[in-house]
Amino acid sequence: MITSLLRWMWRPSRWNAPETGAWPPGPRLPAALQTIMWVVAPMRFGSACLRRYGPVFTARIVGFGRVVHVCTPDGIRRILRDDAGSFDAAAANKAIGFVVGDHSLLMAHGVTHTERRRILMRPLHGANVATYVELMESVVEQEIRRWVAGTRVELLDCFQRVTLEVMMRAVFGITDSVRLARLRVLVPKLLDVNPLLILLPAMRTKIGPGARFQKLLAEVDEIVFAEIAERRAAPKRGGDVLSLLADQPCTDQELRDHLVTLLAVGQETTATQLAWFFERVLRTPDALKRVTAAVEEGDGKLLDAAIHESIRVRPSTLDLGRVGRRTWRLDDYEFPPGTMFAVSLGLLHHSAALHPNPGEYSLDRFYPVEPPSAHFLPFGGGSHRCLGASLAMVEMRTVISTVLRTVRLEPADPAPERLAPKGPMLVPGRGAAVVVTEVLPS
Ligand code: HEM
């Protein structure tokens, strides 16, 4: 009885939008149930909707209402690039405004967004980022030094520490050991924010989790503002991002918002993608052999192909949010202003039509020839394309090469790890647990 009811509710439905006619099909399940499925198993929920309703479907999510998912190359190109002026990314990011601040790039639209992006572009440019390699190598070597042959290591935790250290030193340019030690404790707690605080502003009260979070944020801010004040008083010659930003006409609050934005969007994503890389490659012996050889021979093209394939098969996030600013047409649909869209890069990258056997990790998918860029957008596209893409790629290449040159690893359990939601991230369910089988002589 219950299963037939669920099956009935899962049938395609079309809701009538008063202004426009019909919405794309989607499940009839109550919004609360769809929300739970979307939160608990977003990839399975999205893939099931894609199979049943096609590449443009509507899900109902508590807190967002009807969310139109788009996962065709053409629809995505139009939202991110050709018709980008019809969409507002900042409105979709509103929920994290209380963390990143009003001056954040994530909160800006149009000309303001372009101006803020220009300020951040120079320090995150490939040529500057390349100067961080030595620092990255020393950070990851320090982490690996703790690993002992025969022991179990959860790579996600290790890479969280590595990416945080790189962020504090290369981006914030912090050298003071007390501040570094303090941030090592505070930032992981800050990024482990209770998702309800993001979804429900009413939770941000003066007592309970809301108050604890505000206290944490205030402590992080205190360190960031102290670092900014010192940099203003005695500019460093370093190429760290804050030193380069301090030359720009920015107020202290603007600088703080830029730094916290980079921390919020850049640290966990990179750590998670690194963890997924090892989770997948260690379970694909042929790929592991080829990547290890590529690292020894300095074949950067194959290493990049391996990284790209891991982002495709195990993305740290599935969707990019956009809110329609004006009426927009796609296929037979006419969406009114205010429509919430999910640009589903995760589903685009799992489309069997574009990427045969999409669940399989295959190096040859990206090597020697990459798929067309419209079929694979690991860092998004258009005017909001990831500003940290160069930093992320340099960091991932450096960490992976250093690990593969220093140790041999195998999965702690051969069964694949599930995609587990952690805040906005999808992380390996067992933390990318491995056993160190050998520490290679240096
Ligand atoms: C593997 C790691 C990473 C992945 C997969 C990734 C992915 C993305 C994607 C898909 C977007 C587009 C968002 C949208 O269109 O709404 C984005 C935006 C952004 N990313 Fe990354 N990112 C990574 C690492 C980083 C790092 C290390 C930084 C900086 C330290 C960074 C900074 C940013 C910023 C500032 C934006 C906003 C750009 C804008 O709105 O103009 N990301 N990222």
Side-chain angles (χ1 to χ4, degrees), residues 338-359:
T339 301
M340 179 83 194
F341 293 90
V343 177
S344 265
L345 296 185
L347 294 181
L348 174 82
H349 297 164
H350 274 250
S351 151
L354 306 176
H355 306 279
N357 301 320

Side-chain angles (χ1 to χ4, degrees), residues 215-437:
K215 189 167 170 278
L216 270 174
L217 194 58
E219 283 184 69
V220 171
D221 279 357
E222 198 184 312
I223 298 176
V224 174
F225 280 121
E227 199 64 35
I228 292 172
E230 272 176 30
R231 212 61 56 84
R232 295 250 197 237
K236 270 191 193 173
R237 284 174 170 244
D240 63 84
V241 173
L242 173 56
S243 294
L244 295 169
L245 285 178
D247 289 348
Q248 303 278 333
C250 293
T251 63
D252 287 2
Q253 187 63 47
E254 284 165 348
L255 282 180
R256 175 268 173 212
D257 290 358
H258 288 323
L259 292 177
V260 173
T261 298
L262 297 181
L263 177 67
V265 296
Q267 192 239 320
E268 271 207 307
T269 30
T270 313
T272 304
Q273 289 300 168
L274 276 167
W276 277 124
F277 174 89
F278 282 97
E279 192 278 343
R280 283 295 82 204
V281 168
L282 294 177
R283 285 171 176 80
T284 318
D286 172 58
L288 176 62
K289 219 162 96 189
R290 288 171 65 192
V291 176
T292 308
V295 165
E296 275 156 21
E297 290 156 16
D299 180 353
K301 201 163 162 22
L302 191 115
L303 179 56
D304 281 4
I307 295 172
H308 284 155
E309 173 64 344
S310 69
I311 301 180
R312 185 199 66 78
V313 77
R314 290 291 185 271
S316 52
T317 50
L318 293 186
D319 306 322
L320 311 177
R322 294 291 188 269
V323 177
R325 301 180 67 230
R326 47 183 85 109
T327 302
W328 185 67
R329 287 180 190 82
L330 179 68
D331 304 333
D332 295 336
Y333 303 107
E334 187 175 282
F335 300 105
T339 301
M340 179 83 194
F341 293 90
V343 177
S344 265
L345 296 185
L347 294 181
L348 174 82
H349 297 164
H350 274 250
S351 151
L354 306 176
H355 306 279
N357 301 320
E360 196 180 288
Y361 182 93
S362 165
L363 264 187
D364 297 317
R365 209 184 291 279
F366 286 88
Y367 188 84
V369 182
E370 294 247 332
S373 60
H375 297 182
F376 180 63
L377 297 158
F379 295 104
S383 58
H384 289 274
R385 185 181 185 272
C386 179
L387 260 183
S390 298
L391 178 64
M393 284 305 291
V394 167
E395 190 166 359
M396 287 191 285
R397 284 180 205 128
T398 309
V399 172
I400 293 166
S401 304
T402 313
V403 170
L404 290 179
R405 274 196 213 110
T406 320
V407 286
R408 293 284 173 259
L409 306 171
E410 64 181 34
D413 176 341
E417 299 198 20
R418 71 182 181 90
L419 289 128
K422 180 178 175 266
M425 297 281 132
L426 290 172
V427 302
R430 297 190 296 277
V434 298
V435 171
V436 182
T437 53

Side-chain angles (χ1 to χ4, degrees), residues 197-210:
L197 284 178
I198 304 271
L199 283 176
L200 306 171
M203 289 272 298
R204 296 173 214 153
T205 51
K206 291 207 164 75
I207 47 164

